[in-house]
Every structure is written in structure tokens, then in C-alpha cells.
Amino acid sequence: DSGVTQTPKHLITATGQRVTLRCSPRSGDLSVYWYQQSLDQGLQFLIQYYNGEERAKGNILERFSAQQFPDLHSELNLSSLELGDSALYFCASSPGTSGRSETQYFGPGTRLLVL
Amino acid sequence: AQSVAQPEDQVNVAEGNPLTVKCTYSVSGNPYLFWYVQYPNRGLQFLLKYITGDNLVKGSYGFEAEFNKSQTSFHLKKPSALVSDSALYFCAVRDLGSSNTGKLIFGQGTTLQVKP
């Protein structure tokens, strides 16, 4: 167990809908990262937050947004869902204070299926 | 731009034999390299990382990795494979494009199949 929790584990929804994925980082970690794992794209970085502020953006669609709250949990919002958004969404966390050598610890993921 | 490649989609080994999962990287600067393992229906588990120093890095579950700067490789190894090592393995490199980002760039993954 990495200490990173994600809810829900599974999500089934319809095209055009909006969903929210939630992540709680390891205790004391300030950085949260979101990744998408799909069969065709592999593991792709979406976005990083550090202590409530957006730190880096990757291949994140405009229909997707995220935020990190004062208690450091993070939410990834996916709207106007399309079939191609079906994927496994991972959250990871790290202390955020040790630079590039830091290890990111991953949660179990949320499997999203858009029908 | 930083990148990492895992040239084999699948590696098959017999239990008790040594295993190697290959990874090559391309970075402009000193690389920060990681190996993760993903078991079915589970998240990614950290195995080991190379930051600097000794080229042979030891990690979890008896795995080790050898950093080779001249060949730009970071192969994952284990002296004696177990059936329970069967999983999907990912090599990753830390993006060095900006000092503010912790972004990891992942290879496409290698499925390791260990047969009894």
C-alpha cells in the first residue's frame, strides 16, 4: 500500500457526462500528479499541483481540469466525456521538497468507462 | 526532449533463471531514472531509481538495475525470477525541461512472463 488513496475505483458513465475523480496523497506530501493510462497512449502525465498551486501541465485536454485543496487532496474533473476518455486514471504524490530525485508514489487508480 | 524506450513488449523467462527488462533513455543532462511495476488491477509500485553515484542500483523484491551512461541504458535485472514477478514493468525518466516540474515520462511498458 503506497498510502495514496483514490476514489472511486470504478466509474461507468455515458458520453457527454461529467465526473470527478478524487485523490488523497500520502501524509505530508505536498505534490500531487495525475496520469492517464490508456491502451493507445500508454501512461501520460496530465497535471501536477504543489501545495495548492498548479505546477506543470502535460497532455491534458481543455475538457479536463483539476485542483488541489487546502487539505492537499486533489480532484480531477472530466467533462463532456467521450468514448476515448475511457482509461485508468492514476494519482501520485511526492513530498515536493526534495527536487527531481523524489519518488512518486501511485494510488490504485480509477478505471473510467465511458459508454 | 526527454524520452525513454522499452524495446521489448514482452519478456519470457523460466522460474529460477535470471531476467533482464531493457530500457534506453534520451535526456539532455543528467538523467533521473525510475522503474515501476504494475500488477493486474493494481497501481504502479516503485521498484528503484537512479539519481547519481553507483551504477548498480538495488531495489525492492530483489530487483536491481544497471545504469550505463555510454549506452544510455538502465536495464532492470533479477538473478532468479519468480512466477510472482509476472507483471507489467515501466521505465521512466524525470522530465528535466523545467526545474518546477516533477513530470515522469514513461516507456510503453514490458510484460514479464515467468513460467514455472
Side-chain angles (χ1 to χ4, degrees):
Chain A
D1 185 3
S2 67
V4 179
T5 60
Q6 289 186 249
T7 56
K9 287 188 176 163
H10 301 277
L11 205 44
I12 302 174
T13 189
T15 54
Q17 295 298 304
R18 172 189 168 96
V19 296
T20 297
L21 314 184
R22 183 187 168 104
C23 167
S24 292
R26 295 186 320 156
S27 177
D29 283 357
L30 300 178
S31 274
V32 169
Y33 313 80
W34 286 97
Y35 292 86
Q36 179 194 58
Q37 184 180 30
S38 61
L39 283 175
D40 53 344
Q41 298 287 334
L43 259 169
Q44 298 273 317
F45 168 77
L46 294 178
I47 198 164
Q48 176 195 357
Y49 277 81
Y50 172 77
N51 203 19
E53 300 286 328
E54 182 184 302
R55 179 59 64 89
K57 247 182 179 177
N59 300 321
I60 188 165
L61 299 170
E62 285 192 13
R63 301 183 284 107
F64 296 1
S65 65
Q67 58 185 127
Q68 186 179 27
F69 295 86
D71 67 352
L72 301 176
H73 91 271
S74 177
E75 292 181 357
L76 179 66
N77 300 296
L78 315 177
S79 61
S80 303
L81 285 166
E82 301 175 0
L83 297 178
D85 297 328
S86 296
L88 193 49
Y89 291 84
F90 286 113
C91 168
S93 75
S94 71
T97 55
S98 305
R100 294 168 181 166
S101 63
E102 282 190 356
T103 298
Q104 293 178 23
Y105 293 91
F106 283 73
T110 293
R111 186 172 294 279
L112 173 66
L113 180 59
V114 183
L115 299 175
Chain B
Q2 280 72 230
S3 66
V4 65
Q6 295 178 242
E8 301 156 318
D9 288 338
Q10 182 156 327
V11 170
N12 298 309
V13 299
E15 188 174 31
N17 283 0
L19 69 88
T20 299
V21 183
K22 295 180 180 177
C23 172
T24 59
Y25 66 89
S26 174
V27 301
S28 51
N30 293 323
Y32 295 80
L33 296 157
F34 301 78
W35 275 102
Y36 286 85
V37 59
Q38 184 179 22
Y39 296 99
N41 301 314
R42 303 278 293 276
L44 278 75
Q45 295 181 30
F46 169 71
L47 283 178
L48 50 80
K49 66 181 176 184
Y50 173 81
I51 304 302
T52 187
D54 197 348
N55 289 343
L56 187 63
V57 179
K58 293 193 183 296
S60 307
Y61 312 119
F63 284 94
E64 57 191 27
E66 187 172 9
F67 173 71
N68 188 315
K69 188 171 183 177
S70 62
Q71 296 186 4
T72 61
S73 66
F74 188 55
H75 300 334
L76 182 70
K77 299 173 188 263
K78 188 173 183 182
S80 178
L82 299 172
V83 172
S84 57
D85 292 330
S86 299
L88 183 57
Y89 290 80
F90 288 97
C91 181
V93 65
R94 173 66 48 76
D95 179 31
L96 301 178
S98 164
S99 61
N100 285 335
T101 181
K103 168 185 174 182
L104 286 175
I105 299 167
F106 285 89
Q108 68 270 37
T110 298
T111 299
L112 173 65
Q113 193 78 261
V114 181
K115 300 194 174 166

